[in-house]
Structures are given as structure tokens and as C-alpha cells.
Amino acid sequence: MRHLYVHIPFCARRCSYCDFSIAVHKRVPAREYVACVERELGLVVAQGSEAGLETLYLGGGTPSLLPPDAIAVLLASLHAAFPGTSADAEITLEANPEDVTAESAVAWRRAGINRVSLGAQSFEDRVLRWMHRIHDAARIGAAMQTLRTAGFDNVSLDLIFAVPAALERDWSRDLDCALSLRPEHLSLYGLTVEERTPLARWIARGASAAPDDERYATEYLLAHERLHDAGYEFYEISNAAVANRRSRHNSAYWADRPYLGLGPAAHSYDGSTRHWNVEPWEEYRRCIAAGRSAIAQAERLTDEQRRLERLYLGLRTADGSPLTAIDRPGPPLTAWKGAGWVSVHEDRLVCTPEGWLRLDTLVRDLTGRDGDG
Ligand code: SF4
């Protein structure tokens, strides 16, 4: 395994659109959490191995809620378990702007973090309040400045687009604000309505409109235009980067490489079987404390599922999928090319931004099946 994901499930409050498995805590049980991950590590990683990691991703939840000294202890344990990890491994921390202080940023650098993914989401205070975010817009710029001062030269910003029209969010201005900070990487996610979220409840009782497809498409295409003009490459359906700053960790997922996940709700994949841990922090803690595996379920993928998944993952990226992977290269493909939604480069089928907006339909048309197999 060259790619490791560690899930840190704690959040200070739940965002209005979020259905992730999180544990809302005023005080994060940092020592207990790190001890659990170290124990799980002992259960799943062979001792004495010379293995090294290419990428390590601390995701959540809100990993930046974990005190910096706990992050340092965790990283030291992970390095000890993967002694072959080289100095140029990509080590990412997801952080919320309110957790970025001069002290935390310096401590993260010292602990070995070399990439930060910052949950900005919007540069409008009204929108941030609606999302139940803790930070305000000014905090994003301050956090970016603090990270730069601490020596981070690889920072990604997350933004959410297609929020309901009633919020009168100026997406164009938000893109300008994000670009003015010159992040090396941007992740753009369209708002989706998940069950059992405050947003779903607001919509159910008529207090909020559902996001609409037209706004989604308009804002998505505007982002492509702006980011392209600013020198970014959309190398995946939701991700854009300047040269040499693609996310190596996420690129491994899209390239169908094996990965290991630790922590509650973390997924692992060995190239043919996927398994995932129990989601609630308390249940995970009990399993590990009892010396049991925290795996909730496993799924062995058939060859056909793997083939479809590779096709789908490939089409998500700017590298596309080989034409040979397509079952029905005849009339459906001709129609898609004619509409300008896909193009062919060196025997690979690549989506245009318009095609990415229709990716699920494309996969269905080309294979006669859904993208998830
Ligand atoms: S900070 Fe992230 S994980 Fe936590 S509630 Fe908000 S969106 Fe969900």
C-alpha cells in the first residue's frame, strides 16, 4: 500500500449540507483517538516492513481540530510503520480556516505536513452562515497568509457552488476572491441535498429551495472558463491545479490504485476487495479497545465491476479512458462527439466540461449500465 487515508471524525458543529459520519465534540478526545489509530495500525500493518508511502491524507471531519501535538504524534507513528516513506511523499491535512493560527501552521509544518486543503466554501459571510460554517470570509485570506508564512507552498481551496438562488450568491466574485489568493489547487463541489441534513429538512418544510440543475451547469462552466484563463488545468471533474500540483493522493484513487484507510468510516481497497470501517466514533473506539477489527463490511469486486469502475474513474479525469474500454463505440459515441461533449485524443476518450456535466448519462450510453456497475 503506497497510499494511506486517515479519517479524523471530529467537527465543532455540523454544516447544513453535510451527511458525513462525524462526531460533534467541544473537546476532541485527541489522545484516545490517536491511541486507537495506532492500535488499528498495529492490527493491519505488518511489523518490520520496509514499506513507504507516496501519499498520506488526513481527512475528516475536521482534522485541524486535532491539536497539533496530537497530529505530530500520529504522524510519527505512521512514519514508524512505513519507514520507507520518502521526504517527497505528499502529506495532506484538511483544515478549516478558523483552526489556522501561526502556532498551528508552524507545528503542522514541523510535524511533516506539506499540503493543506482548506475548507473555504464561499467568500460571502451570508452564505457561510447559511452553511453553518464557523469562519467568515476574512478568515480565509488570513488563513492563507498564515499558511504561506509558515512555508506551505501547496494549498488547495474547497468551494461549493450551485447554492439556492435565494441566497443571491455572486459565484463570479467568489471565484475572483479564490483566485486572488493564488492557491495551487482548487476543488469545486456542487451542492447536493443529502438525507438527514439540515438542508434536506429546510427544503422539506419549504424554508429553502432545492439547488437547480441550470444554476449548477452555469456556475460549473463559468468556473472552467475562469480557472482556465488563470492558468489552472481541470485535471478531474471537480479538481483544478496549476502545473505539478495535482493531488497525488486523489489521483491514486482515480487511477484505481490500492489504498489503506484507518479510523472510523475509512475505506480500504487492495485492487479487488474494498472494505470499510464502522462509522460512529464510539463504535470504532469500542472495537479497537477490545482488540477487534473495526471493519464493518467488505465487498469483492467482480472483473466486470472493476472494468466499469475503471472506465468511470478514467472519464472523470482529463486523461480519459482508452477507447478499447468502451462497449458501444458506435452511434452513441458519434452523437456525443457531435454534441461536443467528448473528444478523442490518442485513442483515449476525454470529456469536455459539458460532457462532465453529463458523465452518468455518458457511461450509461457507452456501456448500457450505470457508472457504479
Ligand atoms: S466541517 Fe466538513 S465534515 Fe464537518 S460538518 Fe462541516 S462539511 Fe461536514
Side-chain angles (χ1 to χ4, degrees):
M1 293 291 175
R2 311 301 307 273
H3 306 283
L4 174 63
Y5 174 83
V6 180
H7 189 74
I8 301 172
F10 309 108
C11 288
R13 71 162 80 136
R14 183 174 286 280
C15 298
S16 59
Y17 50 85
C18 178
D19 75 335
F20 291 174
S21 174
I22 59 163
V24 176
H25 277 257
K26 278 213 171 71
R27 222 197 94 264
V28 173
R31 200 175 297 180
E32 201 178 357
Y33 169 79
V34 172
C36 281
V37 174
E38 287 173 337
R39 238 173 134 176
E40 188 187 12
L41 191 62
L43 292 173
V44 300
V45 176
Q47 298 300 315
S49 119
E50 292 300 312
L53 296 172
E54 283 175 30
T55 68
L56 163 60
Y57 195 102
L58 305 182
T62 310
S64 55
L65 266 188
L66 210 57
D69 55 345
I71 290 177
V73 171
L74 179 61
L75 286 186
S77 299
L78 296 172
H79 276 291
F82 297 94
T85 302
S86 70
D88 81 336
E90 178 189 273
I91 303 183
T92 303
L93 176 80
E94 280 184 354
N96 278 348
E98 67 271 15
D99 297 327
V100 181
T101 63
E103 296 72 31
S104 62
V106 167
W108 295 338
R109 275 301 288 158
R110 204 177 294 136
I113 306 288
N114 54 25
R115 182 173 184 272
V116 172
S117 173
L118 200 59
Q121 316 311 0
S122 174
F123 288 83
E124 286 189 30
D125 288 342
R126 197 181 56 261
V127 175
L128 290 167
R129 281 195 297 275
W130 179 85
M131 291 176 172
H132 289 176
R133 303 293 298 188
I134 291 171
H135 65 276
D136 60 14
R139 195 67 198 246
I140 305 167
M144 193 64 155
Q145 183 58 49
T146 304
L147 290 169
R148 296 302 195 205
T149 304
F152 285 97
D153 62 0
N154 195 358
V155 180
S156 178
L157 289 185
D158 280 5
L159 291 178
I160 294 179
F161 63 96
V163 301
L167 286 168
E168 296 182 352
R169 190 258 196 100
D170 187 340
W171 174 236
S172 173
R173 182 182 165 277
D174 263 9
L175 288 170
D176 288 342
C177 291
L179 291 171
S180 72
L181 298 177
R182 301 303 303 162
E184 283 72 29
H185 188 281
L186 282 152
S187 296
L188 308 181
Y189 301 109
L191 184 71
T192 53
V193 183
E194 309 296 341
E195 284 177 41
R196 295 189 299 277
T197 57
L199 175 59
R201 289 193 289 277
W202 297 342
I203 292 171
R205 65 165 194 261
S208 173
D212 76 86
D213 290 349
E214 208 178 307
R215 174 171 290 264
Y216 186 105
T218 308
E219 295 191 354
Y220 182 72
L221 295 175
L222 180 66
H224 270 267
E225 206 179 296
R226 283 294 170 76
L227 268 56
H228 179 266
D229 291 349
Y232 291 79
E233 181 205 11
F234 256 89
Y235 67 101
E236 195 263 352
I237 190 167
S238 303
N239 289 278
V242 298
N244 301 318
R245 287 298 192 223
R246 293 181 175 194
S247 162
R248 287 159 56 193
H249 186 81
N250 289 334
S251 295
Y253 294 152
W254 303 319
D256 195 39
R257 299 229 193 97
Y259 51 85
L260 175 66
L262 298 173
H267 284 55
S268 301
Y269 174 60
D270 66 6
S272 58
T273 301
R274 198 163 23 221
H275 64 77
W276 50 95
N277 281 349
V278 293
E279 289 194 0
W281 151 243
E282 284 299 334
E283 195 181 344
Y284 169 82
R285 188 185 64 76
R286 278 196 300 274
C287 289
I288 300 295
R292 292 198 310 269
S293 158
I295 294 174
Q297 229 175 314
E299 162 186 62
R300 190 172 172 78
L301 302 180
T302 63
D303 288 348
E304 180 62 2
Q305 281 173 319
R306 290 198 58 209
R307 190 180 72 81
L308 282 175
E309 203 161 289
R310 273 201 300 270
L311 172 68
Y312 188 75
L313 290 172
L315 287 172
R316 287 180 65 113
T317 70
D319 297 332
S321 270
L323 279 174
T324 48
I326 293 159
D327 302 329
R328 304 201 293 186
L333 186 52
T334 309
W336 279 79
K337 280 197 280 192
W341 297 338
V342 293
S343 57
V344 175
H345 298 288
E346 294 171 2
D347 292 333
R348 295 184 77 85
L349 185 67
V350 178
C351 286
T352 64
E354 292 272 5
W356 271 332
L357 282 170
R358 300 165 172 83
L359 181 58
D360 290 343
T361 313
L362 172 66
V363 171
R364 241 188 342 261
D365 270 10
L366 297 182
T367 64
R369 295 154 198 249
D370 291 332
D372 62 5

